[in-house]
Amino acid sequence: DGRWIVFASNRQAYERKLTPSEQEKFEHNKAYFMELYLMRADGSGLRRLTKAPGYDGGPFFSADGSRICWRRFSENGHQAEIFTMNLDGSNQRQLTQLGGANFAPYWHPSGEKILFSSNHHDPDGRDFEIYMINLDGSGLTRITYSEGFDGFPVFSPDGQHLVFGSNRN
């Protein structure tokens, strides 16, 4: 509804003195310190929503503005899983436990499912397809079946058509 902005930032790594171990991680990968933040559209009311080690990013609001979905990378950065939470940061819930790179989550128009890109089905990790999952983590469904990259799913403004990026010929 335009009242809030959700975003990812590694600002917390710049706002405090890092431990020697954290400084080493920061020098190797600044994205490791990415967390999710929420603020009013005028920039006021800034608050941090996540505090887990590793990268949190790619947040999207649900259509009703009450929930957020995002991706969280493991501490080693080798896997990313899909999460949801309430607007205030409470009720953080991991939806996927698939391994691989699960990213670009986006709300289904029903508000009851999340679509996302994943390569968990491909041992080489190069083939990305679009999947859908229920908010309780059940009902994993593969949506696309093509070689290469299918990713960044969104719905048309009328909610009738799935739109996504692909490298199909």
Side-chain angles (χ1 to χ4, degrees), residues 1-168:
D1 64 7
R3 293 183 301 153
W4 298 99
I5 297 171
V6 63
F7 65 98
S9 173
N10 65 354
R11 67 191 307 135
Q12 54 97 13
Y14 295 95
E15 295 174 340
R16 62 182 175 84
K17 182 160 177 58
L18 301 176
T19 67
S21 172
E22 289 174 327
Q23 186 62 43
E24 186 176 320
K25 286 178 184 172
F26 186 71
E27 289 170 12
H28 176 71
N29 180 10
K30 290 177 175 49
Y32 177 87
F33 291 89
M34 296 291 277
E35 299 292 346
L36 297 185
Y37 293 83
L38 183 73
M39 69 180 181
R40 289 186 183 88
D42 67 4
S44 66
L46 177 68
R47 66 179 178 239
R48 185 172 160 186
L49 300 175
T50 59
K51 297 183 188 303
Y55 173 98
D56 285 302
F60 281 96
F61 290 112
S62 60
D64 68 3
S66 68
R67 308 221 29 215
I68 296 167
C69 65
W70 82 98
R71 67 180 174 260
R72 174 176 287 158
F73 277 82
S74 59
E75 278 192 72
N76 65 13
H78 295 156
Q79 288 115 10
E81 302 294 350
I82 305 301
F83 287 73
T84 62
M85 69 177 141
N86 294 336
L87 188 61
D88 64 2
S90 66
N91 197 26
Q92 293 188 15
R93 180 181 185 109
Q94 183 174 345
L95 299 187
T96 62
Q97 296 181 12
L98 302 172
N102 304 285
F103 70 100
Y106 196 80
W107 292 90
H108 185 274
S110 70
E112 298 174 4
K113 300 173 186 280
I114 301 287
L115 284 99
F116 62 96
S117 301
S118 180
N119 68 352
H120 81 274
H121 60 276
D122 179 15
D124 295 327
R126 294 185 185 112
D127 181 36
F128 285 84
E129 300 296 340
I130 296 178
Y131 287 82
M132 185 167 56
I133 196 165
N134 296 326
L135 293 182
D136 65 2
S138 69
L140 180 67
T141 304
R142 186 170 169 174
I143 304 298
T144 60
Y145 291 85
S146 64
E147 289 187 29
F149 179 83
D150 287 342
F152 305 106
V154 298
F155 279 88
S156 60
D158 64 6
Q160 300 298 310
H161 304 283
L162 175 63
V163 180
F164 58 93
S166 178
N167 69 350
R168 297 180 199 177

